[in-house]
Amino acid sequence: MEVSNADRVVFPDDGYTKGEVVSYYELAAPLMLPFVAGRALTVERYPRGTGEKGFMQKNAPDHFGDDLIRRHEVPKEDGGTTTYPVVDQPEAIAEFANLGVITFHAPPVTIEDEWHPDWAIWDLDPPPGRFDLVREAARELHSLLSDLGVDTVLMASGSNGYHLRARLDSSADAEVVAGAARGAAALASEANPDLMTLAFRKKDRGDRVFVDWLRNAPYSTSVVPWSLRARRGAPVAVPLAWDELDGVDPNGVGLGEAPKRFESDPWGQIEPVALGPIGERVDTLLEEAGVTLEPFDRFRS
């Protein structure tokens, strides 16, 4: 595709140009498409490069190409609507990069079924630089979810931590999914109180990993697999095999190395699970452990 200002350096610490970013997304787009197609996207734009301040964008402006995107209106709680961009073809991903998009974020639902997530996501956020803690937390949460019958895959977020993802069969509604995700996070934190926490405020976490279950609401978002992050090193949110956990840092794969991984699929065929019955078991285990979760409706926003 024709790239505007292709020679503009957009990662000043690393020298990567806009042309290289667009080329990366042209290659990555077929791998990203299953995680973005039919979803209301939020994009992170840096029109002048990552050395200057960027911005998050939900509304699709008129200059976003109508031939490559759809638009989907969602009512706001305080009135009005947000008109999200929706893509269905890989060419649109590269076109977004040509518009200065560095990072793609997507919700766990499609616009065709907005209240039944087809993914459950746990975002593990450690204290700065504590990759040792977040690796241990990933192992503990993975083990607990496996015992519950939830098979999870691992992703280096391209930032500070890892994401655990579970494919869902969309039989449970958003409230059930959020409740089960929160309950599983609470069980893991109760079993490892010095390692993990559900404390939303950073000042309350101490030297512990925050298990962020809030990515599971219909229009909450998480970074899309294979997306670049606007950080030094041009790190990529990279799918990993579980045996790579100790060898790949959360921000350890950059734009230059990521394409070497395109030929392999560490996640393979992900079998969807029904989270409703698992959520009931989680509730029983919480009750047996004497854990009471206070009402928390942030996920509705």
Side-chain angles (χ1 to χ4, degrees):
M1 63 178 291
E2 183 177 348
V3 181
S4 60
N5 300 307
D7 294 332
R8 175 185 291 159
V9 175
V10 294
F11 282 91
D13 293 321
D14 308 282
Y16 291 122
T17 66
K18 182 180 178 183
E20 289 173 301
V21 169
V22 174
S23 293
Y24 169 80
Y25 274 121
E26 283 185 310
L27 292 172
L31 299 173
M32 295 174 64
L33 193 63
F35 304 99
V36 301
R39 299 176 193 268
L41 298 181
T42 298
V43 294
E44 199 171 340
R45 296 180 68 189
Y46 291 82
R48 297 184 179 278
T50 61
E52 298 190 25
K53 188 173 182 177
F55 58 94
M56 302 291 285
Q57 184 166 341
K58 296 181 179 180
N59 274 300
D62 292 339
H63 64 271
F64 279 18
D66 289 331
D67 56 332
L68 291 175
I69 72 165
R70 292 187 283 155
R71 288 170 169 80
H72 178 65
E73 287 195 7
V74 177
K76 296 180 181 179
E77 287 190 351
D78 57 354
T81 60
T82 299
T83 303
Y84 287 90
V86 181
V87 305
D88 299 297
Q89 51 190 315
E91 293 81 5
I93 295 173
E95 179 59 31
F96 270 103
N98 194 34
L99 292 169
V101 171
I102 296 296
T103 307
F104 294 79
H105 304 265
V109 298
T110 66
I111 63 172
E112 305 300 331
D113 193 354
E114 296 175 293
W115 294 102
H116 292 85
D118 57 3
W119 286 101
I121 298 165
W122 293 265
D123 177 1
L124 302 180
D125 185 12
R130 293 303 305 269
F131 294 164
D132 57 330
L133 293 181
V134 77
R135 286 189 170 102
E136 186 179 354
R139 276 189 287 267
E140 292 295 332
L141 184 57
H142 174 55
S143 176
L144 181 141
L145 289 167
S146 295
D147 290 343
L148 290 170
V150 180
D151 186 25
T152 54
V153 292
L154 177 69
M155 185 178 78
S157 70
S159 183
N160 295 320
Y162 299 98
H163 289 192
L164 273 64
R165 280 175 163 255
R167 187 72 166 169
L168 307 181
D169 66 2
S170 299
S171 60
D173 67 28
E175 189 165 358
V176 169
V177 171
R182 184 189 185 194
L187 288 172
S189 298
E190 179 71 13
N192 303 274
D194 296 327
L195 175 64
M196 290 184 272
T197 179
L198 269 62
F200 183 73
R201 294 180 177 84
K202 288 187 177 181
K203 67 181 181 64
D204 298 329
R205 298 176 192 173
D207 197 27
R208 294 177 295 176
V209 176
F210 173 46
V211 186
D212 185 354
W213 56 275
L214 294 162
R215 308 291 177 172
N216 297 290
Y219 284 94
S220 292
T221 64
S222 58
V223 64
V224 172
W226 300 110
S227 184
L228 285 163
R229 308 304 296 267
R231 293 170 172 264
R232 183 190 298 268
V236 176
V238 176
L240 300 176
W242 275 104
D243 61 9
E244 293 185 285
L245 176 60
D246 288 327
V248 180
D249 288 342
N251 59 359
V253 179
L255 184 155
E257 298 78 35
K260 301 172 186 177
R261 292 175 163 262
F262 288 171
E263 295 301 319
S264 61
D265 182 5
W267 288 359
Q269 184 65 34
I270 306 172
E271 293 297 325
V273 298
L275 209 59
I278 292 168
E280 294 174 4
R281 186 179 173 199
V282 167
D283 289 341
T284 299
L285 291 172
L286 288 170
E287 184 177 355
E288 291 175 353
V291 177
T292 301
L293 299 178
E294 298 296 326
F296 191 93
D297 65 358
R298 179 183 170 85
F299 78 94
R300 294 181 183 275
S301 59

